[in-house]
């Protein structure tokens, strides 16, 4: 097979979820949308850039335009609402995986980042301009953000692929891609074939055949003889080039050319001679030594292969009639090396005389006089010398086996008719194809070269990362059709070092999302959902919180531990009702806290994202969420602080609010200490809440990343990802309880009795010099923190669905597949 031109090779290695995918595949550099092939500039200064021109123009256009005044308008990406419910995206991913394996999804992503304009524009625009232009050639740290972006892009692609399930789905998807990208280049068609060959099941084989023929469009360059056969004598054997799996656009035509094989096919007796008493021998003698000099000197028509064939006379059997004449010669073995003009042969002469009958002297004398040796003609065996292609045809593909049938000797005009000739052997041959080279990109303009050089010099790391993430399989790699499985497979040889059993990069569980425009009523619904979630979770843990407060506000030594405190409350301090003394202010205060915390977080996160822009938001989602949540939590804590103050008084003194009545508690607190007492503990309460939020998000991120680093396969299972999130949340809640406990202790002490303040609580703590007592109540609060996160994890998503503000209803995802349909020329 003729090559398609040289392509740059990249070796991609690493874990499928943390790196590029363990493909070990030969990959070529991809181009930007609509590229036909890559092209390296022959100028050494330009070659030093080491970039694919179109790819880097796409990557650097946004940044370079700032300095050089260039840039193009981007084709808009398609953003779609994923649907209603929290599990709509996980369910879509799970559904897509039934038809499209991970290697298809990730290679589809590479294809789109090479040929789809809107995807290339998004990939370009997702690079932080400051990183591209000002980070410098030695900048580090772009690999992981770029990997994360690719992984989420792959997830976006997979969510879109879920709309094309099963055999009908793959056929529809292929048709869609052909309508959109089929006219870009033959290289693009070949990449589409590679993509769908990655499917295990549901391969659209029939349509793929047509695409492959268009992409390869190979012609027959030669028909190589693999077995020359034997038994031919003359004529021109016909050659049939057959493709049992498809019909080429133009069938090729070829004919076979014969040559002497140096073997004797048969010996025809032309004169039987006279006087033989026994069958004579046939004597063969070589008259010319066969070597390069004699072949050239005597112009013997043989090739180098035939020169080395040893001279072996044929083995024969001669048959006489009753009169002593030769009537037949049977060739038992054809011999070898008997080239025309290099040997002599003859029948042995008769030596015995016949007795003359007395009755016919005249006839007897005549026969004695005519005594002579037999004579004959050698009919030389011919074989196939070569097959000449008369018409190369068109529309062939190396993916399918091509059968060559050479007409056998018995069907060839001029074949041996002698019944004594040895049977001939059928010849065979193999077809060699040649494929047209793909078009290269046009020569870059001077301004484009300057743009490339500028971007390359300012960010070589980004160049390498993006090449590795978007490289495609070399077009010289071929597919093979397996009739047994009726599927296409890659030709995998040691020379290729090619393996398609693993993915072509990472794939996340969350697609590329951005906030949809939502109304204030939806913001309110988010707050209500958060308030309901917080009220339920905190209300369910009131007994545990009561024990914690008892430990913190009781005189030293009253309770030994959490178990002792629980027993004494049940036995001596009012029984079960004491455990719920603070239920009303805790539940209502938590509802208010949840409303402003969850709702405020959503508003602040969206506002921050709008301010910093989508690129920074994509690269730093956790910090943005943490900052937004801290600010919202501070506001929520300030508003709910009075409820927490009343709760502490009601728990510390079970008779503080008559009948555990929250309203009575508020009235008494204001009457005894004034309205200012409601917020006197706001400072430690803010410290407690902000440190709790900071620790919760930070630890959650660290723990979940550590788990996925150790067990990357967990990312590929929906149930395991949920379990990882839950366990990380519980650990984060416990750690957050530790870091925020000093603030919680001071807040409890500042509100335990009338006249207490934050400063008095702090002075009492410092004067006691028992610094460890600031950890009083920590064990129940550890349990409290872990259970609180677990309950909110289980409740919040359900509440958002209940109030019609689930993420699927508030966000839109980058619908890579829908973008294909939108851009289809036919539409």
């Amino acid at each position: 097979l003729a090559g398609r031109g040289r392509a740059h090779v990249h070796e991609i290695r690493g874990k499928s979820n943390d790196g590029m995918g363990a493909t070990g595949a030969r990959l070529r550099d991809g181009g930007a949308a609509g590229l036909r092939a890559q092209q390296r500039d022959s100028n050494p200064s330009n070659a030093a850039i080491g970039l694919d021109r179109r790819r880097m123009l796409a990557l650097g256009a946004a940044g370079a335009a700032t300095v050089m005044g260039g840039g193009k308008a981007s084709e808009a990406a398609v953003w779609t609402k994923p649907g209603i419910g929290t599990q709509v995206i996980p369910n879509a991913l799970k559904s897509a995986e039934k038809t499209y394996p991970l290697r298809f999804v990730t290679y589809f992503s590479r294809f789109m980042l090479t040929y789809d304009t809107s995807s290339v524009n998004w990939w370009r625009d997702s690079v932080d301009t400051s990183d591209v232009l000002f980070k410098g050639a030695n900048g580090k740290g772009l690999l992981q953000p770029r990997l994360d972006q690719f992984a989420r892009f792959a997830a976006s692609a997979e969510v879109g692929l879920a709309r094309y399930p099963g055999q009908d789905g793959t056929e529809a998807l292929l048709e869609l891609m052909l309508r959109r990208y089929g006219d870009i280049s033959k290289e693009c068609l070949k990449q589409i074939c590679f993509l769908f060959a990655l499917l295990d099941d549901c391969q659209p084989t029939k349509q793929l055949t047509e695409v492959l023929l268009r992409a390869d469009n190979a012609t027959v360059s030669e028909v190589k003889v693999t077995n020359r056969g034997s038994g031919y004598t003359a004529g021109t054997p016909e050659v049939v080039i057959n493709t049992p799996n498809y019909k080429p656009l133009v069938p090729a035509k070829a004919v076979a050319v014969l040559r002497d094989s140096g073997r004797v096919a048969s010996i025809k007796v032309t004169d039987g001679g006279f006087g033989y008493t026994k069958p004579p021998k046939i004597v063969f003698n070589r008259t010319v030594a066969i070597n390069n000099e004699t072949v050239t000197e005597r112009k013997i028509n043989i090739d180098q292969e035939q020169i080395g064939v040893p001279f072996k006379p044929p083995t024969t059997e001669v048959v006489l009639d009753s009169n002593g004449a030769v009537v037949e010669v049977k060739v038992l073995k054809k011999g070898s090396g008997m080239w025309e003009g290099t040997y002599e042969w003859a029948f042995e002469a008769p030596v015995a005389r016949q007795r003359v009958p007395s009755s016919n002297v005249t006839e007897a004398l005549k026969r004695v006089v005519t005594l002579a040796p037999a004579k004959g003609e050698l009919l030389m065996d011919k074989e196939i010398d070569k097959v000449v292609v008369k018409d190369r045809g068109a529309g062939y593909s190396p993916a399918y086996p091509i059968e060559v049938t050479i007409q056998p000797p018995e069907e060839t005009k001029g074949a041996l008719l002698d019944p004594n000739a040895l049977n001939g052997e059928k010849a065979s041959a193999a077809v060699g194809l040649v494929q047209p080279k793909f078009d290269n990109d046009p020569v870059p303009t001077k301004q484009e070269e300057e743009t490339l050089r500028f971007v390359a010099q300012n960010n070589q790391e980004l160049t390498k990362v993006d090449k590795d993430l978007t490289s495609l399989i070399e077009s010289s790699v071929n597919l093979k059709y397996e009739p047994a499985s009726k599927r296409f497979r890659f030709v995998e040889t040691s020379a290729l070092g090619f393996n398609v059993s693993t993915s072509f990069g990472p794939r996340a569980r969350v697609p590329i999302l951005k906030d949809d425009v939502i109304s204030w009523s939806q913001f309110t619904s988010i707050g209500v959902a958060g308030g309901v979630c917080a009220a339920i979770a905190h209300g369910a843990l009131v007994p545990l919180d009561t024990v914690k407060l008892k430990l913190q506000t009781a005189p030293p030594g009253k309770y030994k531990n959490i178990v002792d405190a629980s027993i004494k409350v049940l036995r001596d301090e009012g029984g079960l009702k004491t455990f719920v003394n603070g239920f009303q202010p805790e539940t209502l205060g938590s509802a208010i806290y949840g409303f402003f915390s969850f709702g405020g977080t959503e508003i602040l996160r969206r506002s921050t994202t709008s301010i910093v822009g989508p690129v920074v938001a994509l690269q730093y989602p956790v910090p943005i969420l943490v900052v937004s949540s801290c600010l919202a939590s501070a506001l929520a804590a300030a508003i709910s602080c009075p409820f927490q103050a009343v709760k502490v008084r009601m728990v510390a003194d079970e008779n503080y609010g008559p009948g555990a009545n929250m309203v009575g508690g508020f009235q008494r607190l204001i009457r005894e200490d004034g309205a200012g007492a409601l917020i006197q503990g706001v400072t430690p309460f803010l410290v407690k809440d902000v440190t709790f939020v900071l620790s919760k998000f930070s630890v959650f991120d660290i723990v979940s990343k550590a788990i996925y680093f150790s067990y990357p396969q967990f990312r590929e299972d929906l149930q395991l990802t949920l379990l990882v999130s839950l366990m990380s949340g519980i650990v984060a809640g416990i750690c957050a309880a530790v870091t925020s406990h000093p603030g919680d202790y001071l807040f409890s002490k500042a509100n335990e009795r009338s006249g207490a303040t934050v400063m008095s609580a702090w002075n009492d703590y410092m004067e006691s010099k028992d610094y460890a007592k600031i950890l009083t109540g920590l064990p129940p609060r550890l349990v409290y923190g872990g259970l609180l996160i677990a309950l909110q994890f289980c409740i919040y998503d359900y509440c958002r669905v209940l109030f019609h503000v689930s993420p699927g209803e508030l966000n839109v995802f980058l619908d890579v597949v829908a973008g294909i349909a939108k851009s289809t020329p036919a539409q």
Side-chain angles (χ1 to χ4, degrees):
L1 301 182
R4 297 175 183 266
R6 194 171 290 177
H8 197 60
V9 176
H10 287 287
E11 190 77 17
I12 307 299
R13 289 192 173 96
K15 295 183 179 179
S16 61
N17 293 284
D18 298 306
M20 301 301 304
T23 60
R26 293 200 311 173
L27 301 177
R28 68 161 188 82
D29 288 344
L35 291 189
R36 303 190 174 190
Q38 68 175 46
Q39 178 178 348
R40 300 280 183 183
D41 196 301
S42 58
N43 189 315
S45 63
N46 293 330
I49 298 175
L51 307 177
D52 177 84
R53 184 175 67 89
R54 296 295 188 189
R55 165 66 58 199
M56 284 313 300
L57 282 178
L59 292 175
T66 305
V67 178
M68 305 186 66
K72 298 181 180 180
S74 298
E75 180 178 320
V78 176
W79 297 87
T80 305
K81 283 186 178 293
I84 299 175
T86 59
Q87 296 300 310
V88 62
I89 289 178
N91 289 340
L93 294 174
K94 188 174 181 180
S95 174
E97 289 169 0
K98 295 178 180 178
T99 303
Y100 302 100
L102 182 59
R103 60 178 177 271
F104 180 96
V105 174
T106 49
Y107 198 75
F108 175 80
S109 302
R110 287 173 178 264
F111 177 91
M112 296 299 289
L113 292 175
T114 300
Y115 289 105
D116 184 72
T117 305
S118 61
S119 297
V120 170
N121 287 333
W122 174 85
W123 184 248
R124 175 201 64 199
D125 296 338
S126 64
V127 180
D128 190 345
T129 303
S130 61
D131 279 338
V132 175
L133 297 179
F134 308 115
K135 193 165 186 179
N138 296 321
K140 301 297 181 183
L142 282 176
L143 175 60
Q144 192 56 49
R146 240 11 194 163
L147 283 173
D148 294 340
Q149 289 171 347
F150 181 91
R152 295 188 66 182
F153 182 85
S156 294
E158 189 168 9
V159 172
L161 290 172
R163 295 194 294 268
Y164 296 87
Q167 186 70 39
D168 292 340
T170 59
E171 292 176 0
L173 179 64
L174 176 57
E175 181 64 26
L176 196 66
M177 294 185 68
L178 289 176
R179 291 167 60 194
R180 176 67 180 91
Y181 311 110
D183 294 331
I184 291 178
S185 65
K186 292 185 182 297
E187 165 70 17
C188 181
L189 286 176
K190 191 65 179 286
Q191 293 300 329
I192 292 176
C193 294
F194 288 160
L195 174 65
F196 283 86
L198 294 171
L199 291 172
D200 290 323
D201 303 312
C202 304
Q203 271 194 16
T205 308
K206 183 177 179 181
Q207 295 92 328
L208 205 54
T209 298
E210 299 173 0
V211 181
L212 200 57
L213 296 182
R214 286 175 56 192
D216 290 334
N217 193 27
T219 59
V220 176
S221 60
E222 65 173 344
V223 179
K224 185 177 181 180
V225 178
T226 57
N227 185 346
R228 299 187 182 277
S230 63
Y232 297 95
T233 58
T236 304
E238 294 182 1
V239 178
V240 178
I241 300 175
N242 184 36
T243 51
N245 300 105
Y246 67 93
K247 291 183 179 180
L249 299 177
V250 180
K253 297 178 181 179
V255 295
V257 178
L258 298 177
R259 73 175 187 183
D260 286 339
S261 66
R263 300 184 296 267
V264 176
S266 64
I267 300 177
K268 181 180 179 181
V269 179
T270 57
D271 184 348
F274 178 75
Y276 290 103
T277 59
K278 62 179 181 179
K281 293 182 179 179
I282 303 176
V283 180
F284 292 86
N285 294 312
R286 169 156 282 181
T287 59
V288 177
I290 301 300
N291 52 50
N292 291 325
E293 290 75 14
T294 57
V295 167
T296 303
E297 180 183 340
R298 295 175 174 265
K299 297 181 180 180
I300 302 173
N301 189 25
I302 59 176
D303 58 23
Q304 193 67 34
E305 174 190 345
Q306 295 170 311
I307 290 177
V309 176
F311 177 79
K312 292 182 180 180
T315 303
T316 59
E317 180 182 338
V318 179
V319 180
L320 301 178
D321 65 8
S322 58
N323 295 318
V326 176
V327 295
E328 178 185 354
V329 177
K330 298 179 180 180
V331 177
L332 303 180
K333 293 183 179 180
K334 295 183 177 183
S336 64
M338 302 180 63
W339 314 116
E340 183 179 359
T342 65
Y343 65 92
E344 295 177 344
W345 77 282
F347 286 94
E348 284 184 335
V351 294
R353 291 184 176 273
Q354 220 174 349
R355 185 177 297 175
V356 180
S358 57
S359 60
N360 193 346
V361 176
T362 303
E363 181 64 23
L365 290 174
K366 180 179 179 181
R367 293 176 68 180
V368 170
V369 172
T370 57
L371 185 69
K375 297 179 181 180
E377 295 179 358
L378 295 184
L379 190 60
M380 300 304 294
D381 179 87
K382 294 184 181 294
E383 62 187 9
I384 304 297
D385 180 23
K386 59 185 177 181
V387 175
V388 179
V389 179
K390 295 294 186 181
D391 187 338
R392 299 175 66 169
Y396 287 91
S397 172
Y400 288 97
I402 299 178
E403 300 175 354
V404 180
T405 303
I406 300 178
Q407 191 175 21
E410 59 271 16
E411 298 179 7
T412 305
K413 182 179 179 181
L416 292 176
L417 301 179
D418 186 350
N420 296 319
L422 294 178
N423 292 330
E425 181 182 359
K426 185 177 180 180
S428 61
V431 170
L433 300 178
V434 62
Q435 299 166 271
K437 293 182 178 180
F438 294 141
D439 296 335
N440 290 326
D441 280 342
V443 177
T445 65
K446 183 177 180 180
Q447 181 179 0
E448 288 175 335
E449 289 292 0
E450 291 297 327
T451 304
L452 287 175
R453 186 176 293 106
F454 177 81
V455 175
Q457 291 173 351
N458 283 277
N459 204 332
Q460 295 177 3
E461 183 194 9
L462 176 66
T463 300
K464 180 181 183 304
V465 170
D466 280 349
K467 279 185 177 182
D468 287 345
L469 281 170
T470 57
S471 297
L472 297 174
I473 299 171
E474 288 184 2
S475 57
S476 58
V477 174
N478 282 297
L479 299 174
K480 179 181 180 181
Y481 179 74
E482 295 180 349
S485 62
K486 296 182 179 180
R487 296 175 186 167
F488 287 93
R489 296 287 186 235
F490 283 89
V491 178
E492 296 180 296
T493 65
S494 57
L496 287 175
F498 189 75
N499 182 8
V500 293
S501 61
T502 53
S503 70
F504 290 86
R507 193 264 283 114
R509 278 289 171 184
V510 180
I512 301 295
L513 297 172
K514 75 174 184 178
D515 298 327
D516 197 10
V517 178
I518 63 176
S519 64
W520 281 104
S521 63
Q522 288 175 307
F523 277 123
T524 304
S525 297
I526 294 173
V528 172
V532 172
C533 171
I536 295 174
H538 285 264
L541 298 176
V542 163
L544 190 60
D545 189 51
T546 298
V547 175
K548 184 265 301 182
L549 284 171
K550 287 287 187 181
L551 288 169
Q552 289 177 330
T553 58
K558 183 176 180 180
Y559 305 116
K560 296 179 180 179
N561 50 49
I562 183 174
V563 176
D564 182 57
S566 301
I567 294 174
K568 288 181 179 179
V569 168
L570 284 171
R571 186 184 61 197
D572 306 327
E573 300 178 22
L576 290 175
K577 67 177 183 179
T578 305
F579 282 106
V580 294
N581 270 353
F583 180 81
Q584 290 182 8
E586 174 70 10
T587 304
L588 184 57
S590 296
I592 295 173
Y593 179 90
F595 179 89
F596 286 99
S597 177
F598 286 95
T601 298
E602 188 71 18
I603 294 174
L604 291 172
R605 184 187 63 79
R606 288 172 177 265
S607 300
T608 305
T609 299
S610 178
I611 292 171
V612 302
V615 174
V616 177
L618 183 64
Q619 293 180 348
Y620 307 104
V622 174
I624 290 175
L625 181 60
V626 170
V627 171
S628 302
S629 185
C630 286
L631 293 175
S633 296
L635 174 64
I639 296 174
S640 63
C641 182
F643 295 89
Q644 297 297 319
V646 172
K647 180 196 72 172
V648 172
R649 293 289 179 93
M650 292 177 67
V651 172
D653 181 1
E654 57 268 20
N655 298 316
Y656 193 82
N661 187 295
M662 178 185 66
V663 177
F666 268 101
Q667 292 174 343
R668 181 175 175 180
L669 180 63
I670 295 173
R671 183 174 64 251
E672 294 180 356
D673 297 310
L678 294 174
I679 58 172
Q680 70 172 354
V682 70
T683 301
F685 192 65
L686 285 175
V687 172
K688 178 196 78 167
D689 245 49
V690 171
T691 53
F692 188 90
V693 170
L694 279 172
S695 302
K696 177 179 68 175
F697 282 111
S698 301
V699 174
F700 179 91
D701 192 50
I702 293 172
V703 173
S704 59
K705 284 183 177 179
I707 294 175
Y708 286 130
F709 180 81
S710 300
Y711 304 97
Q713 66 273 19
F714 283 8
R715 293 181 184 269
E716 307 308 315
D717 187 285
L718 177 60
Q719 302 302 323
L720 288 176
T721 57
L722 293 176
L723 180 61
V724 169
S725 297
L726 178 60
M727 297 305 297
S728 301
I730 292 174
V731 174
I734 294 173
C735 293
V738 174
T739 58
S740 64
H741 192 72
D744 181 79
Y745 174 81
L746 288 176
F747 179 78
S748 298
K749 300 298 289 185
N751 290 279
E752 67 177 348
R753 67 183 185 277
S754 178
T757 63
V758 174
M759 288 307 299
S760 66
W762 176 254
N763 290 333
D764 290 344
Y765 169 69
M766 295 302 293
E767 290 173 2
S768 69
K769 296 185 179 181
D770 182 11
Y771 302 118
K773 72 177 182 180
I774 202 170
L775 301 178
T776 303
L778 180 59
R781 196 156 187 274
L782 292 177
V783 179
Y784 181 92
L787 291 178
L788 180 65
I789 297 298
L791 286 172
Q792 289 182 340
F793 180 87
C794 299
I795 297 172
Y796 183 57
D797 285 343
Y798 177 78
C799 291
R800 293 191 66 169
V801 174
L802 185 66
F803 291 99
H804 303 289
V805 285
S806 64
E809 296 167 276
L810 301 183
N811 297 324
V812 289
F813 79 97
L814 180 63
D815 199 338
V816 179
V817 179
I820 301 176
K822 179 182 178 182
S823 304
T824 299
Q827 293 188 347

